[in-house]
Amino acid sequence: MKKRISASLLAVVIALSMTACGNNEGPKEEKKTALETEEMSFDRMKEEAKGTTVTFYGWGGDEKLNEWLDNTFATVMKETYDITMERVPMDIDQVLSQLSGEIQAGEKDGSIDMIWINGENFRSAKENNMLYGPFADKLPNFQDYVDVTSEDVTLDFAYPIEGFEAPYGKAQIVLIADTAVTPDMPKSAEDFKEFVRKYPGKVTYPALPDFTGSAFVRNMIYEICGYEQFLDMKGDKETVKAAVEPAMAYLRELNPYLWNEGKTFPDSSTTLDNMFSDGEVVLNMTYDAYGTAVKIADGAYTQTTQSFQFEKGTIGNTNFMAIAANSGNKAGAMVAINEMLSPEIQADRYDTLKVIPVLDNSKLSKEQKASFDEVELGKGTIPQDELLLKRLPEMPAELVPIIEEIWTEEVAGK
């Protein structure tokens, strides 16, 4: 997810009964009105979902993912369940605006079924009764192949999920550089400061609240302030501001050496990625831990490009799938989410998209394990054991917009 909407803005959206953004409604004539699913067996859900369309709303900025959803996953859903998948690319703020408008208007057969979501977006949507659930425990693949007790599955940015989401993929922030250009990759905050001084005007990060830029800033906070104090910190701005001030001072010190002298920042991680590919900057960053291999294979990155992380580690999280509260096809959405959690689909995502799987390896058969073990991650990646060994937990969702606000006030353009 690349953008999000704050809880306060979401409340305003609901209060004002905003209407749908754009003409993105699915073809309702192809959909049946779903029966109540609370007491429905999963086999009955599959029967109910036959011949229907499931809309899947989420960020559409990853063309390789879009192609996989349209050509691989959609084909499996059609051939196996006679369900038509309709992918609707839309930023999460627009998704939640559209959903709130439809709910406020009393639409029972809404245009949105599945949503790609996590973090404070999930918290805001759940607290405003915009999501259906709990549903995860009704999914056979969730019960059979996922560690349902893991905090990666029970908590989303330290916020209790309570069955209102099912895991989609794991992400972890990594930094990226071309070793032929900058062989001295920084391993700490102090190294990073020396790095930007050595390459003035050639380093930057996306402006907050870009999802990746925000994660990078939180990672620097962890580097300088430690992370333990934030895991149970309440969302009081003055408390947070005092805790992060050493990191804000550090980031202000970087500004004169950054691209455009830190007066402005790239508007998105996509923009930064293009700048890196074009050689305008020498450092990139992404939540897509194995994406470097894909970009090298596609020719977007040089053969000498390498992902790396700080010695203290980098922030990782899980992204999820949720169901709209007023979805007219809850049964179809649950069948689709269950299929996304199948070992076959998760292994294909791992192989094709290089997405960290969400399944519990100990729950897989020997043959299923082999399908994951045989995946070649490709060039420029961090070995999975090393990557996950340095995986740091996310902050509570309520802290994230506060930190973004503090960064905007204390660092941006300073």
Side-chain angles (χ1 to χ4, degrees):
M1 304 296 294
K2 297 295 178 182
K3 294 185 179 179
R4 53 184 158 297
I5 187 168
S6 67
S8 57
L9 177 57
L10 184 55
V12 172
V13 167
I14 295 173
L16 295 178
S17 307
M18 289 182 66
T19 56
C21 297
N23 184 20
N24 290 290
E25 294 193 2
K28 292 184 180 179
E29 66 274 7
E30 296 180 13
K31 296 172 69 173
K32 304 175 194 174
T33 300
L35 300 175
E36 291 301 320
T37 55
E38 282 75 6
E39 303 301 324
M40 195 183 294
S41 70
F42 192 75
D43 285 340
R44 179 65 187 279
M45 289 182 200
K46 290 190 289 186
E47 286 299 317
E48 174 72 10
K50 281 185 178 179
T52 69
T53 293
V54 173
T55 58
F56 187 12
Y57 279 64
W59 180 66
D62 186 333
E63 289 306 317
K64 198 169 186 69
L65 172 60
N66 296 342
E67 180 182 355
W68 182 87
L69 287 170
D70 293 342
N71 298 327
T72 299
F73 185 67
T75 298
V76 169
M77 291 302 299
K78 187 64 178 178
E79 293 179 350
T80 307
Y81 304 104
D82 190 23
I83 292 174
T84 299
M85 295 299 300
E86 180 185 342
R87 180 179 59 83
V88 184
M90 187 181 286
D91 288 336
I92 190 61
D93 53 350
Q94 294 176 304
V95 175
L96 296 184
S97 294
Q98 178 167 319
L99 178 58
S100 66
E102 292 182 3
I103 290 174
Q104 193 70 13
E107 293 191 29
K108 303 296 185 184
D109 188 13
S111 62
I112 301 170
D113 295 319
M114 290 169 57
I115 307 170
W116 181 11
I117 193 170
N118 78 339
E120 61 266 40
N121 297 315
F122 168 67
R123 176 177 179 148
S124 297
K126 183 174 181 289
E127 291 182 346
N128 284 282
N129 300 314
M130 297 168 66
L131 301 178
Y132 169 74
F135 70 86
D137 62 346
K138 299 180 176 66
L139 308 180
N141 287 339
F142 180 81
Q143 297 290 345
D144 292 345
Y145 300 115
V146 175
D147 180 358
V148 299
T149 64
S150 167
E151 289 190 354
D152 278 350
V153 174
T154 61
L155 299 175
D156 186 351
F157 279 66
Y159 182 71
I161 291 172
E162 299 176 331
F164 281 75
E165 291 180 313
Y168 185 32
K170 289 183 179 180
Q172 188 166 341
I173 193 166
V174 297
L175 304 173
I176 306 167
D178 185 342
T179 58
V181 178
T182 58
D184 50 340
M185 295 181 288
K187 296 297 185 181
S188 66
E190 193 59 37
D191 284 355
F192 191 83
K193 184 187 293 186
E194 293 305 313
F195 186 85
V196 299
R197 287 175 173 169
K198 185 173 182 178
Y199 301 99
K202 302 289 283 185
V203 179
T204 187
Y205 54 94
L208 281 61
D210 173 85
F211 201 71
T212 304
S214 181
F216 171 75
V217 167
R218 295 196 301 280
N219 220 119
M220 298 312 292
I221 291 171
Y222 281 4
E223 279 280 309
I224 294 163
C225 308
Y227 71 86
E228 293 87 351
Q229 63 175 317
F230 297 102
L231 299 184
D232 58 359
M233 186 176 288
K234 300 302 180 185
D236 172 71
K237 184 175 180 180
E238 291 308 312
T239 300
V240 176
K241 187 174 181 179
V244 303
E245 176 50 33
M248 295 300 109
Y250 169 89
L251 292 171
R252 286 193 296 269
E253 290 178 15
L254 297 184
N255 278 355
Y257 305 97
L258 298 182
W259 173 79
N260 202 26
E261 298 180 336
K263 296 173 183 175
T264 59
F265 293 80
D267 61 356
S268 70
S269 56
T270 301
T271 298
L272 178 61
D273 186 59
N274 290 335
M275 293 168 67
F276 177 74
S277 297
D278 293 341
E280 189 175 355
V281 294
V282 298
L283 188 85
N284 196 7
M285 57 195 66
T286 180
Y287 248 127
D288 188 359
Y290 301 133
T292 297
V294 177
K295 293 291 184 73
I296 291 174
D298 289 346
Y301 292 170
T302 65
Q303 295 288 315
T304 49
T305 303
Q306 177 65 47
S307 299
F308 65 98
Q309 60 188 148
F310 293 138
E311 290 293 345
K312 290 183 182 178
T314 49
I315 291 174
N317 63 44
T318 304
N319 48 80
F320 295 88
M321 300 166 286
I323 301 173
N326 68 333
S327 163
N329 195 4
K330 297 181 178 72
M334 281 193 271
V335 173
I337 293 173
N338 185 73
E339 185 63 24
M340 194 71 78
L341 291 173
S342 70
E344 296 77 16
I345 288 294
Q346 284 285 309
D348 195 75
R349 278 168 57 81
Y350 188 42
D351 185 23
T352 305
L353 303 175
K354 303 299 185 280
V355 175
I356 304 172
V358 297
L359 305 186
D360 181 354
N361 196 54
S362 68
K363 290 190 169 187
L364 301 177
S365 69
K366 183 178 179 180
E367 293 75 17
Q368 290 166 339
K369 288 178 183 178
S371 65
F372 290 92
D373 293 340
E374 292 166 359
V375 171
E376 292 288 342
L377 291 176
K379 293 184 177 181
T381 61
I382 302 170
Q384 182 165 306
D385 289 347
E386 179 184 341
L387 180 75
L388 297 181
L389 183 64
K390 297 179 180 179
R391 183 178 175 90
L392 299 177
E394 264 293 4
M395 293 183 183
E398 62 183 318
L399 301 190
V400 176
I402 296 173
I403 288 172
E404 291 168 351
E405 183 177 333
I406 292 170
W407 179 88
T408 301
E409 296 169 350
E410 302 292 331
V411 178
K414 299 294 184 181

